[in-house]
Amino acid sequence: MSKMALILQGGGALGAYEYGVVTKLVEMGWEPVAVTGVSIGAVNAAAIAGARGGDIVASLDAIWNEITLRTLPFWPASMQGNLSLMGNPNFWRSRTDYLQMASWNSLCDTAPMVATLQKHLDFEQMNDSGHMRLAVTATSLQSGGPTTFSNYLAPDAHRDSGSLQAMQQRLTPAHVMASGALPPGFPPVVIDDQAYWDGGLFSNTPIDALLNMLRPDEIDGLPIFTIDLFTTRNLPLPKNLMDVQTRALAMQYENRFWAEYGGEAGPEGFTQMLEILERELPADSMLRQDRADQPHNTAGAAWNWLQRLRALKNIRVIEGAPAAPGGDHDFSEYAVKAAWEAGRAAASRHAPSQMQAGRLRAVA
């Protein structure tokens, strides 16, 4: 087996594409050792790390079988996706307490998804970082920034940088649900007296959460796959309001993590610069001092994090297809199967034997 890491975006029903990608990667011989996700990506990540008996394919099959809506007889395929708007029995249900509507903070109740996670996933295994490192990210309503919950953090991880926080703690269904609590549909999830919404509201590609889990010997060589669910480049202009809504959603949630790195040199130039700095920095530089010996050496802490960014060169982006209108809420059998098959086709080009030195794709 060839080891890999995974970064899984949010995107509602588009997560079926990730489902297809991951199952195909595993079948081709890839073994995930660290995985992070937001929203439906957090659900997929939990299914991977919490797969009973370590059977990732069976675990993802079970979760997606539960949340895929059965086909309604005699109803056109093009309209099956709209049935999701009325609820998804094993994911969410519409609220009916209309007398309290004035105090609602969501339109739906997500208790069914909590039951689905508890039914199919092994949370004891999920919390064993020796089995697999896992992180899910939510957006804090108190700070306005992301909070990552993880079963493992590297000794020099960024744990608190203002509004961005990373916590190592026992993961429960609440952490997964917090990562996917997209308003106004889903309610905020309270963990340790703090309320959280969907992690994709701040960043839909949690690369920093993955960097926080890497071990020193993985920074320069561990392949990292991220699946880009929201394609926005080189597409025709929207022709109607549905096209406008679909494109705006894609632009809101597209990957923009590394757009700032490297300037004209791009991410490749940025990571090359980091490697040169690492080679040329004197061995006795204060930047290299262990924080255990120099607890107030904040410059050294910044240097450690900067060097973790060398792992950006290991990222392989698996492109998604342009989202169909309503694609993010279409959990019909037609849509889920099509996305799963498309994901598997895209992943088939990334067999371990076919891996070459990849190139980062900067997303504007």
Side-chain angles (χ1 to χ4, degrees):
M1 299 290 283
S2 297
K3 298 186 184 304
M4 67 168 175
L6 290 166
I7 300 168
L8 303 177
Q9 292 183 346
L14 300 179
Y17 188 88
E18 293 176 334
Y19 162 37
V21 167
V22 174
T23 54
K24 184 63 176 180
L25 290 176
V26 169
E27 289 169 4
M28 290 191 301
W30 288 104
E31 177 189 1
V33 295
V35 57
T36 182
V38 296
S39 201
I40 196 67
V43 172
N44 285 334
I48 293 165
R52 296 187 186 279
D55 191 337
I56 293 171
V57 173
S59 182
L60 285 167
D61 285 345
I63 290 292
W64 279 92
N65 183 64
E66 289 275 11
I67 64 177
T68 297
L69 295 177
R70 299 296 164 257
T71 300
L72 187 66
F74 311 113
W75 197 255
S78 61
M79 299 181 65
Q80 293 282 339
N82 293 329
L83 296 175
S84 298
L85 300 176
M86 295 183 286
N88 186 321
N90 296 315
F91 201 147
W92 72 86
R93 56 184 171 231
S94 298
R95 295 182 62 166
T96 57
D97 53 333
Y98 301 116
L99 295 179
Q100 285 74 46
M101 184 179 291
S103 61
W104 282 9
N105 62 1
S106 70
L107 299 173
C108 304
D109 172 16
T110 54
M113 190 60 180
V114 173
T116 296
L117 295 173
Q118 291 173 328
K119 175 182 177 182
H120 291 288
L121 304 186
D122 183 341
F123 279 84
E124 288 299 321
Q125 176 181 282
M126 190 185 301
N127 283 284
D128 179 7
S129 63
H131 167 73
M132 192 181 302
R133 283 157 279 161
L134 170 67
V136 298
T137 299
T139 301
S140 167
L141 270 70
Q142 277 69 29
S143 71
T147 297
T148 295
F149 304 100
S150 177
N151 67 6
Y152 173 85
L153 287 173
D156 57 349
H158 264 192
R159 297 171 184 265
D160 189 348
S161 54
S163 62
L164 189 155
Q165 292 189 322
M167 303 180 186
Q168 181 174 339
Q169 59 181 244
R170 181 174 178 80
L171 299 175
T172 68
H175 295 91
V176 180
M177 298 307 298
S179 184
L182 184 65
F186 297 165
V189 175
V190 177
I191 299 172
D192 297 332
D193 298 323
Q194 301 290 310
Y196 298 94
W197 268 341
D198 193 293
L201 294 174
F202 189 91
S203 174
N204 201 41
T205 312
I207 294 177
D208 53 336
L210 192 281
L211 295 176
N212 262 340
M213 296 192 294
L214 292 180
R215 292 170 177 152
D217 62 340
E218 297 171 332
I219 291 174
D220 285 311
L222 179 68
I224 302 170
F225 288 99
T226 185
I227 297 97
D228 208 353
L229 294 180
F230 293 95
T231 298
T232 60
R233 300 187 306 161
N234 303 320
L235 299 178
L237 291 175
K239 296 180 180 179
N240 52 53
L241 289 178
M242 180 63 78
D243 286 351
V244 169
Q245 181 183 24
T246 301
R247 184 71 58 81
L249 183 71
M251 296 179 74
Q252 179 180 354
Y253 290 111
E254 67 179 347
N255 175 14
R256 52 178 60 88
F257 180 88
W258 53 64
E260 64 187 277
Y261 294 108
E264 291 184 358
E268 294 88 350
F270 179 76
T271 55
Q272 290 172 12
M273 175 269 295
L274 293 178
E275 292 171 350
I276 293 170
L277 286 177
E278 168 62 19
R279 289 196 305 267
E280 297 190 358
L281 186 70
D284 60 351
S285 170
M286 187 171 181
L287 293 178
R288 295 188 185 276
Q289 300 303 308
D290 192 324
R291 289 197 71 188
D293 301 325
Q294 301 283 342
H296 302 296
N297 183 9
T298 55
W303 168 260
N304 288 336
W305 176 254
L306 189 65
Q307 288 304 300
R308 282 190 167 268
L309 293 174
R310 300 201 316 264
L312 292 176
K313 68 178 179 294
N314 305 326
I315 293 179
R316 309 295 186 265
V317 179
I318 298 179
E319 297 278 3
D328 64 319
H329 69 256
D330 187 352
F331 284 87
S332 69
E333 287 184 304
Y334 295 104
V336 168
K337 182 179 180 181
W340 175 80
E341 290 177 343
R344 289 177 63 82
S348 66
R349 299 187 289 273
H350 296 272
S353 60
Q354 298 171 335
M355 287 294 290
Q356 300 175 352
R359 292 181 297 174
L360 286 170
R361 180 178 65 78
V363 179

